[in-house]
Amino acid sequence: MVADKHAIKVAITDRDWFEAWLAVFAEHDIEVFKLLPDALLLPDAQGDGLSVIELNNQWLCKQGAWRISAVEQSWLAEYLTALGHPNVAHYSPASQFPETVTLSAQT
């Protein structure tokens, strides 16, 4: 329960893609200790902000230590609206963001 509402945590992956990569590592005798989604590697944003970077025409987003998502450009505005227009720390050019969002370029 989250704030008196039923909630579930969801993780989605392409099993075939995932298993193919594990097979490549095994083929080369590389031991895998941990796999992390790419968006978890973004720095934590300050406060309730959002850290973002563009990768392959998607925005990888991280809010807090563990909340991540991959957002298509076509629904970025709606996604940010659903989050309450958080401040956005971006690690790649961010010209397509709505004007209602406060952007902060990071290096």
Side-chain angles (χ1 to χ4, degrees), residues 24 28 36-37 40 51 53 56 62 85 99:
V24 169
H28 296 283
L36 293 173
L40 274 182
S51 292
I53 192 166
N56 296 329
K62 181 178 180 189
H85 300 286
E99 292 181 11

Side-chain angles (χ1 to χ4, degrees), residues 71-86 98 100-101:
V71 180
E72 299 288 337
Q73 180 64 45
S74 62
W75 51 278
L76 180 63
E78 289 82 6
Y79 176 75
L80 295 169
T81 298
L83 293 179
H85 300 286
T100 55
V101 174

Side-chain angles (χ1 to χ4, degrees), residues 14-107:
D14 180 336
R15 183 179 185 146
D16 293 335
W17 176 87
F18 182 73
E19 289 178 350
W21 272 107
L22 290 177
V24 169
F25 289 125
E27 177 183 332
H28 296 283
D29 294 321
I30 299 172
E31 189 173 354
V32 176
F33 292 102
K34 184 185 284 189
L35 296 168
L36 293 173
D38 41 16
L40 274 182
L41 302 175
L42 284 166
D44 291 347
Q46 293 186 353
D48 290 333
L50 194 66
S51 292
V52 301
I53 192 166
E54 186 179 16
L55 179 66
N56 296 329
N57 297 316
Q58 288 186 329
W59 284 96
L60 301 180
C61 306
K62 181 178 180 189
Q63 187 176 35
W66 297 104
R67 185 180 296 165
I68 60 171
S69 56
V71 180
E72 299 288 337
Q73 180 64 45
S74 62
W75 51 278
L76 180 63
E78 289 82 6
Y79 176 75
L80 295 169
T81 298
L83 293 179
H85 300 286
N87 294 330
V88 175
H90 60 95
Y91 293 85
S92 56
S95 59
Q96 309 93 343
F97 278 72
E99 292 181 11
T100 55
V101 174
T102 302
L103 295 172
S104 173
Q106 306 296 306
T107 57

